[in-house]
Amino acid sequence: MSLQAAEFFAELCLPFHDHAVVGATYFAAPVSGAPLRLRIEFTATIHADTYGGLRVAVIHPDRGEIDAVALSFLDHGTFHRRDEANNTRPNTKQYGTFSTYHHLGRPPWEGAVTTGLRDAIEQYTAVWFPGAWAASTPSRAASRSAHRAPAPPATRSQARTR
């Protein structure tokens, strides 16, 4: 059955305008005109047709892969709710993973919460492609700015000391 990778990457809501999904791999050029590219692919487990996370890599056209990081679904809580609702126990094949076998009309990764993965990808791309995420999603970057409230003025204690 189909992995439905394009739909999974659409669910991540990555902000890069110049991107494509080829097979089960997401490719993007986060900074226009820069040579570095981003590649995101599913990581397999020891079980056939079962995936346990994403592998995010920075690619240079001449030098190849420069850096990569593995983001497990388990570490980022992607299937925590689904596994809890289904009473899926840790250390089983289904825990924190998904397989290509699924109900017709539903994605194999049904029940995934991609917020943790998206945040991790945002942090990783901020190192290799500074400003690319903010340039693509100005409203999200603006909403993350912190507003500092002034601290109350320090006053001397009225208590007497002996």
Side-chain angles (χ1 to χ4, degrees), residues 11-74:
E11 184 82 17
L12 279 173
C13 297
L14 299 175
F16 311 119
H17 300 292
D18 191 12
H19 73 275
V21 176
V22 180
T25 306
Y26 177 91
F27 295 95
V31 177
S32 184
L36 295 180
R37 301 290 183 257
L38 183 68
R39 178 180 67 205
I40 305 174
E41 54 196 345
F42 293 96
T43 57
T45 66
I46 61 170
H47 303 284
D49 300 321
T50 302
Y51 301 92
L54 298 176
R55 185 173 188 276
V56 183
V58 176
I59 309 297
H60 187 276
D62 297 327
R63 296 185 203 128
E65 186 173 288
I66 303 239
D67 188 58
V69 64
L71 306 174
S72 78
F73 295 142
L74 186 61

Side-chain angles (χ1 to χ4, degrees), residues 17-149:
H17 300 292
D18 191 12
H19 73 275
V21 176
V22 180
T25 306
Y26 177 91
F27 295 95
V31 177
S32 184
L36 295 180
R37 301 290 183 257
L38 183 68
R39 178 180 67 205
I40 305 174
E41 54 196 345
F42 293 96
T43 57
T45 66
I46 61 170
H47 303 284
D49 300 321
T50 302
Y51 301 92
L54 298 176
R55 185 173 188 276
V56 183
V58 176
I59 309 297
H60 187 276
D62 297 327
R63 296 185 203 128
E65 186 173 288
I66 303 239
D67 188 58
V69 64
L71 306 174
S72 78
F73 295 142
L74 186 61
D75 291 345
H76 294 88
T78 307
F79 293 107
H80 178 74
R81 284 192 214 160
R82 179 206 66 186
D83 291 344
E84 205 170 67
N86 294 336
N87 200 26
T88 305
R89 306 296 347 142
N91 300 321
T92 61
K93 175 184 174 183
Q94 296 81 16
Y95 189 74
T97 66
F98 76 89
S99 70
T100 55
Y101 304 104
H102 58 281
H103 298 287
L104 192 60
R106 296 185 194 163
W109 39 266
E110 183 177 28
V113 177
T114 58
T115 307
L117 286 174
R118 186 176 196 277
D119 290 345
I121 293 168
E122 179 179 4
Q123 290 173 2
Y124 183 77
T125 55
V127 172
W128 288 99
F129 308 99
W133 199 280
S136 301
T137 57
S139 62
R140 180 178 165 119
S143 68
R144 285 193 168 197
S145 62
H147 298 287
R148 302 190 112 222

